[in-house]
Amino acid sequence: TPGTEYTVTVAAKNTGRLEAKSDTLKFTTPKKMEGYFEADFEDAKADAFEMTKPEFWKVENDATSKSMALMLSKTEGVRNLAMYKGFDYGDFTLRSKARTFEGDGNKWRDYCVAFGYVEAKNNYMVGFNSSVDESPPGILRVKDGKEESIGRRINTVTIPDRAWHNIEVTRKGSKIQVFWEGALCFEADDATFG
């Protein structure tokens, strides 16, 4: 956590019952950590996000999780993106909790993570649907406004149950991996956008 003081002691024991213990170490993490951000929306604001269609987004109390969440209130059209402002990323891991809502199942994506974002017409996108339809979930490269599915689908994952699920997107170099509830579901190797 940024700007937090930690006190730690490192101890080790081997099978021969030999023990070693360090002196107490104290350190404070930087107040601003490069590439680190956390958004819990408990202040009911989404000021840290830039939206392509701000009127479609709202922060509200989610009865299921009993916490504040950033929610898409309309699904008219496509590219209803909310992007965290102020960061350019190279390698990263993004962990999020996501769920779909009653009535989802549009032909685009019911839950997406966009990254490598240059503009709305040039980026990567990971899409999950409520059901498998004519646009199956996976990793997309959007180049000059044209979507192209890239990589492999190890598991075709859908989010039909309206429950919160853990989703993780990782990029290291040109390797992109997507996990759903800890299981690898999509992967690609592409360096078009960084």
Side-chain angles (χ1 to χ4, degrees):
T1 304
T4 303
E5 184 176 302
Y6 292 94
T7 303
V8 297
T9 303
V10 180
K13 184 189 288 187
N14 70 11
T15 56
R17 298 185 185 202
L18 295 173
E19 292 185 39
K21 188 175 181 182
S22 74
D23 292 334
T24 300
L25 306 169
K26 285 187 174 188
F27 63 94
T28 302
T29 56
K31 288 186 181 186
K32 183 173 183 181
M33 294 175 70
E34 187 72 28
Y36 174 90
F37 79 91
E38 185 175 295
D40 61 17
F41 307 107
E42 293 305 313
D43 62 0
K45 295 180 181 174
D47 297 342
F49 288 81
E50 177 182 330
M51 287 108 171
T52 53
K53 296 180 181 178
E55 66 277 13
F56 286 15
W57 292 91
K58 61 184 175 179
V59 175
E60 63 181 29
N61 194 333
D62 176 67
T64 305
S65 65
K66 297 183 174 49
S67 64
M68 300 301 281
L70 179 62
M71 305 209 190
L72 184 62
S73 61
K74 296 180 186 177
T75 56
E76 176 185 307
V78 295
R79 306 273 189 269
N80 300 321
L81 303 176
M83 296 149 299
Y84 195 78
K85 295 189 278 190
F87 283 96
D88 290 325
Y89 299 98
D91 294 351
F92 71 91
T93 296
L94 172 74
R95 292 178 187 91
S96 64
K97 288 190 177 285
R99 74 180 179 103
T100 56
F101 294 90
E102 199 64 43
D104 286 347
N106 65 66
K107 67 178 187 173
W108 302 101
R109 302 288 177 269
D110 297 323
Y111 174 76
C112 290
V113 175
F115 59 97
Y117 189 85
V118 178
E119 59 169 334
K121 291 183 177 186
N122 291 288
N123 59 79
Y124 293 110
M125 189 176 292
V126 175
F128 291 91
N129 292 356
S130 299
S131 60
V132 177
D133 54 28
E134 68 263 24
S135 293
I139 302 172
L140 299 175
R141 179 179 51 223
V142 182
K143 187 172 180 189
D144 299 325
K146 295 178 182 154
E147 292 181 2
E148 178 184 356
S149 183
I150 61 172
R152 297 183 322 127
R153 290 185 185 94
I154 292 92
N155 294 303
T156 301
V157 175
T158 59
I159 309 177
D161 57 8
R162 312 300 184 243
W164 288 95
H165 293 283
N166 295 300
I167 294 173
E168 182 175 301
V169 179
T170 300
R171 181 174 72 184
K172 187 169 186 178
S174 61
K175 187 172 183 177
I176 302 164
Q177 293 183 307
V178 181
F179 299 84
W180 181 85
E181 296 296 1
L184 179 64
C185 53
F186 316 130
E187 67 181 354
D189 196 331
D190 190 273
T192 304
F193 303 116

